[in-house]
Amino acid sequence: METNTKIPLYVFLLSSIFLLCSLAQFCYAVDTVTQGKTVADGDILTSEDQTFELRFFSPENSTFRFVRIWYKIDVQAVVWVANRDSPISNRNGVFRIGVDGNIVVLNGNNSLVWSSNVTGLSNNTAAVLQNTGNLVLSNNESIGGTSRAHWQSFDEPTDTFLPGMRVPVNSAIGEFRAFRS
Ligand SMILES: *[C@@H]1O[C@H](CO)[C@@H](O)[C@H](O)[C@H]1NC(C)=O
Ligand SMILES: *[C@@H]1O[C@H](CO)[C@@H](O)[C@H](O)[C@H]1NC(C)=O
Ligand SMILES: *[C@@H]1O[C@H](CO)[C@@H](O)[C@H](O)[C@H]1NC(C)=O
Ligand SMILES: *[C@@H]1O[C@H](CO)[C@@H](O)[C@H](O)[C@H]1NC(C)=O
Ligand SMILES: *[C@@H]1O[C@H](CO)[C@@H](O)[C@H](O)[C@H]1NC(C)=O
């Protein structure tokens, strides 16, 4: 008896949640930014397996806003910061794919605060926050594929070494990668 009444209710609730999610696109974890999409201050980009998030934040005792990637499971563990040298002083900042195909951070006045700064990109690029915590810029059609990334946050580390990062140290061929606190 009890099982008979519970199963339909369970199915009903699941269907309702699914419907709500489909309508609102609210429950889906979005891990990709394509041309025309923005991550505004307050929005969140989440890796597919929910381990990492990209969002705006203020450090303790500061009102400045920075774009950071952090471990979702431990909100204290920031692993990467984009505009560390160019803080935004309000909550109108935007993270998006710029018209030149780069990943950019703009302040409330649409001025460039930070860019992945790659030259010669097509205007059809997309960025995905991978399950490793790596933010990868590639051509939209090869997102998730194995083709070479145009840019990746693993190549511009902040203060955190993550599994899967490569740290070339052959200065003879110009390889140099620095971590900064
Ligand atoms: C933030 O401010 C409080 C109170 O002044 C202080 O105790 C704390 O150490 C500060 N934290 C940082 C990270 O500066
Ligand atoms: C935006 O522009 C206004 C007016 O020029 C200026 O006062 C303000 O500081 C600017 N804001 C940012 C975030 O640069
Ligand atoms: C982009 O790269 C150029 C040349 O390396 C450099 O002068 C410029 O400051 C960089 N811009 C940003 C936003 O990082
Ligand atoms: C992207 O570039 C192509 C080819 O240069 C151009 O035809 C198209 O209008 C551009 N699209 C946007 C959104 O800028
Ligand atoms: C990016 O690729 C997806 C999937 O292939 C496609 O649906 C979408 O329209 C593309 N976006 C742009 C801006 O080209």
Side-chain angles (χ1 to χ4, degrees):
M1 185 72 162
E2 197 171 284
T3 356
N4 282 348
T5 55
K6 265 184 181 169
I7 286 174
L9 180 64
Y10 178 65
V11 170
F12 171 75
L13 284 177
L14 269 183
S15 313
S16 307
I17 290 169
F18 181 73
L19 184 66
L20 273 176
C21 287
S22 319
L23 289 176
Q25 293 218 321
F26 182 68
C27 307
Y28 289 116
V30 176
D31 67 353
T32 305
V33 177
T34 49
Q35 194 79 39
K37 301 259 172 59
T38 60
V39 178
D41 196 323
D43 293 344
I44 301 172
L45 203 63
T46 309
S47 68
E48 190 184 20
D49 71 357
Q50 312 272 306
T51 303
F52 291 95
E53 277 183 355
L54 180 149
R55 61 192 299 179
F56 285 83
F57 85 116
S58 292
E60 202 181 331
N61 297 345
S62 168
T63 56
F64 286 126
R65 305 296 282 171
F66 301 86
V67 172
R68 56 124 200 246
I69 296 172
W70 68 3
Y71 270 115
K72 192 183 176 187
I73 47 169
D74 175 358
V75 293
Q76 296 303 313
V78 177
V79 299
W80 185 78
V81 179
N83 57 315
R84 59 191 321 191
D85 298 323
S86 310
I88 297 172
S89 54
N90 55 39
R91 298 201 172 216
N92 301 323
V94 161
F95 173 94
R96 61 176 301 157
I97 304 293
V99 286
D100 68 349
N102 274 294
I103 303 171
V104 296
V105 179
L106 306 172
N107 71 14
N109 293 351
N110 262 359
S111 320
L112 187 67
V113 162
W114 180 86
S115 168
S116 54
N117 213 11
V118 180
T119 50
L121 293 176
S122 82
N123 61 9
N124 192 22
T125 53
V128 60
L129 180 58
Q130 295 184 340
N131 292 338
T132 54
N134 194 8
L135 178 68
V136 178
L137 178 72
S138 43
N139 286 337
N140 181 47
E141 59 271 18
S142 54
I143 270 287
T146 52
S147 71
R148 205 172 70 85
H150 294 306
W151 178 92
Q152 49 186 330
S153 61
F154 272 16
D155 286 344
E156 285 182 20
T158 301
D159 65 346
T160 306
F161 181 88
L162 288 170
M165 255 186 194
R166 199 179 147 263
V167 187
V169 288
N170 186 348
S171 56
I173 59 168
E175 283 180 337
F176 176 73
R177 201 150 294 167
F179 288 79
R180 285 194 296 158
S181 63

